[in-house]
Amino acid sequence: SMHFIMMMEGNLDENFPYLRRAIELNPSFARAHFWLGNALETEGRYDEAFSEFNSAHLLDPQELLIGLALARSHADRGEFAELKRVVEDMAAIDEGHELTVIAQQLFFDSSQEYASALMLRQTTVDQFDDFDDRILLAMEQKRLGLTEDIFSSVAPLIDSDLEPWAYVVLGEMDKAIESAAAYPVSAANRDALTRRAWIDVFAGQFNQALIYYDVLDVCESESFNASDCLYSAFALRKAGNTLGSNAALARVREEIGRWRSTGVKYHNHLSSFAPLSYLEAGSLLVEGNVDEAINIYTQLIDDGYVFIFEYIDPFFAELRGHSEWGALIELSLIHISEPTRLLSI
C-alpha cells in the first residue's frame, strides 16, 4: 500500500490527544503532524489528514515519507498539478529512492501517459521487486499481447506463496486454486488473506472467498476496505445472500459519500487508481443494474481510462454479453497509445 499508517500501541482515538499536545508544545514538529495525518486518515477524516500532511511537508520538505503522504492526498483529491509539483520536489531530493519512484508511479498512473506508467513500473519491478507492480505490469503486458514478457514478469512468483497469482495472470484458474491450496495462510496475515479472497472471487469460489472475508471483517468500521467490501457484496450475491450483499453495498456507498464530503475524488483500488465513480459502477453491477454501470464505464473510457483486470475479473464477465461492451473495449484499446489512467476493478 502507498499509505503509511503510524504503528502506535493501543486505540488510535487514545493517541489523538498526545499527538495534538505534541504539536501544541512544538508546532514545528513535522513528524507529529505526519503521524496525526495518518491517524486521521485511518479514521476516515481525509480533509483533516490532508491539512496535517500539508503542514508536515511545509515544515520538512526534505522528508520523502511526508512527501509521499502529501502526494497520495493530492491524488485522492484529484489535484494533479499539485501532485506533479510534490513528485518533482521529491525527485530533486533523491530521484532513485523507492518512495520517490512510488510517487512517480502514482503520478503516471493517475494523470500521465500509459507508456510512461508501463516503463516506470518495469523499473520498479526490476529495482524493488514489488508484488503489486509485478502483477499490474503482467496485466498490462497481457493487454498488449506481450506473451513472453508476461512469463518473465510472473516467473519469480513460482515456488513461493505468491505462485497462485502467476496462474491468475496467465488465466489458469484451476492451477491457481491448486497452487493456493499448497500455501495455507494465517488468519493473522491480512494481506495474504485478502489476496487469497481475491483469487477465490476471480475463480468463482464465492463461498470460500466469504470465509476469508468473514475473518477479515472488511465491511466493519475498524477494518473497512471499500474494494474488499464490494467484492464481498459480489460474493454474497453469487452465494444467494441478497440481504448480506445489500448491507455490504450500503456500507460501500456510505463510505463513497463520506469520501466526497471530505474532498476525496479517487481511491486506491486493487493496487491501481480509480475515481469513485468506478466503485459506484461496481456497486451497480452487483445489484444487476448493468445498463447504468455501462453508462459510467462509457464515461470513464471517454476520459481515457483502461481496465487492467478486464480479462480475469468476474465483474466484467457480467458485461461481456452487453451489446455495447465490445465497442467500449475496442475504444479503450485505442487509448493505450494516448495519455491514459490505469484502472483495475
Side-chain angles (χ1 to χ4, degrees):
S1 168
M2 289 182 289
H3 290 281
F4 288 81
I5 307 302
M6 187 179 91
M7 301 304 292
M8 297 181 294
E9 293 183 0
N11 190 293
L12 278 172
D13 289 336
E14 297 174 358
N15 287 281
F16 281 121
Y18 298 103
L19 290 169
R20 294 194 187 280
R21 179 60 175 162
I23 292 171
E24 182 181 332
L25 293 171
N26 182 4
S28 298
F29 186 12
R31 281 277 175 159
H33 287 282
F34 167 72
W35 290 329
L36 179 58
N38 278 315
L40 288 164
E41 190 174 61
T42 302
E43 294 285 297
R45 296 158 66 178
Y46 302 106
D47 48 351
E48 297 174 71
F50 170 74
S51 178
E52 294 300 331
F53 290 143
N54 194 50
S55 295
H57 185 64
L58 290 172
L59 291 166
D60 190 357
Q62 298 295 308
E63 175 54 67
L64 296 178
L65 188 61
I66 293 174
L68 180 58
L70 181 59
R72 177 72 242 184
S73 284
H74 279 311
D76 288 345
R77 296 163 65 88
E79 297 169 349
F80 300 119
E82 292 84 352
L83 167 61
K84 181 179 180 181
R85 175 183 55 78
V86 173
V87 172
E88 288 175 342
D89 289 346
M90 292 175 68
I93 295 167
D94 188 345
E95 186 172 15
H97 195 284
E98 183 174 7
L99 297 180
T100 301
V101 175
I102 291 172
Q104 289 172 328
Q105 188 71 65
L106 171 64
F107 174 68
F108 287 133
D109 280 350
S110 62
S111 63
Q112 273 287 348
E113 296 180 358
Y114 181 90
S116 298
L118 184 63
M119 286 189 293
L120 185 59
R121 182 158 282 122
Q122 180 66 69
T123 299
T124 304
V125 168
D126 291 342
Q127 290 185 354
F128 308 117
D129 195 25
D130 180 80
F131 166 76
D132 292 334
D133 277 322
R134 183 173 295 283
I135 294 301
L136 287 173
L137 175 64
M139 292 307 301
E140 291 162 13
Q141 291 165 337
K142 186 166 187 173
R143 175 167 287 281
L144 290 170
L146 304 174
T147 305
E148 292 185 5
D149 291 337
I150 297 170
F151 283 109
S152 297
S153 294
V154 301
L157 304 180
I158 301 298
D159 295 327
S160 78
D161 60 346
L162 298 174
E163 179 181 86
W165 278 96
Y167 294 118
V168 168
V169 171
L170 295 171
E172 299 181 28
M173 290 302 180
D174 289 342
K175 286 187 177 181
I177 294 300
E178 181 181 346
S179 175
Y183 294 98
V185 293
S186 165
N189 190 334
R190 293 188 63 85
D191 286 343
L193 283 174
T194 299
R195 289 168 180 162
R196 186 62 56 83
W198 290 352
I199 290 173
D200 284 319
V201 170
F202 290 165
Q205 298 199 138
F206 302 113
N207 288 319
Q208 181 61 47
L210 289 171
I211 293 174
Y212 295 126
Y213 283 134
D214 185 55
V215 174
L216 291 164
D217 219 10
V218 291
C219 294
E220 295 303 314
S221 57
E222 292 191 3
S223 55
F224 178 79
N225 179 288
S227 303
D228 291 318
C229 190
L230 183 57
Y231 269 123
S232 72
F234 180 74
L236 285 163
R237 180 81 61 172
K238 289 294 186 180
N241 187 346
T242 303
L243 288 177
S245 178
N246 289 342
L249 287 178
R251 185 69 184 87
V252 171
R253 285 172 170 147
E254 176 188 350
E255 188 68 10
I256 289 173
R258 184 160 62 136
W259 280 332
R260 284 210 166 98
S261 71
T262 58
V264 173
K265 299 177 182 178
Y266 293 81
H267 172 61
N268 191 37
H269 183 58
L270 293 194
S271 308
S272 190
F273 195 74
L276 297 186
S277 60
Y278 199 75
L279 295 180
E280 290 174 325
S283 298
L284 289 166
L285 280 180
V286 173
E287 290 179 326
N289 295 325
V290 177
D291 288 340
E292 292 182 55
I294 283 285
N295 289 337
I296 294 177
Y297 290 132
T298 300
Q299 185 60 57
L300 289 170
I301 290 174
D302 285 344
D303 289 342
Y305 290 93
V306 172
F307 305 133
I308 295 299
F309 280 80
E310 187 269 331
Y311 291 98
I312 61 174
D313 197 293
F315 275 137
F316 288 104
E318 311 256 320
L319 295 172
R320 292 188 188 113
H322 196 281
S323 59
E324 298 179 32
W325 186 246
L328 287 175
I329 290 300
E330 287 297 320
L331 178 60
S332 74
L333 292 174
I334 296 173
H335 291 315
I336 286 179
S337 59
E338 301 174 359
T340 304
R341 299 186 181 97
L342 306 176
L343 294 185
S344 58
I345 188 167

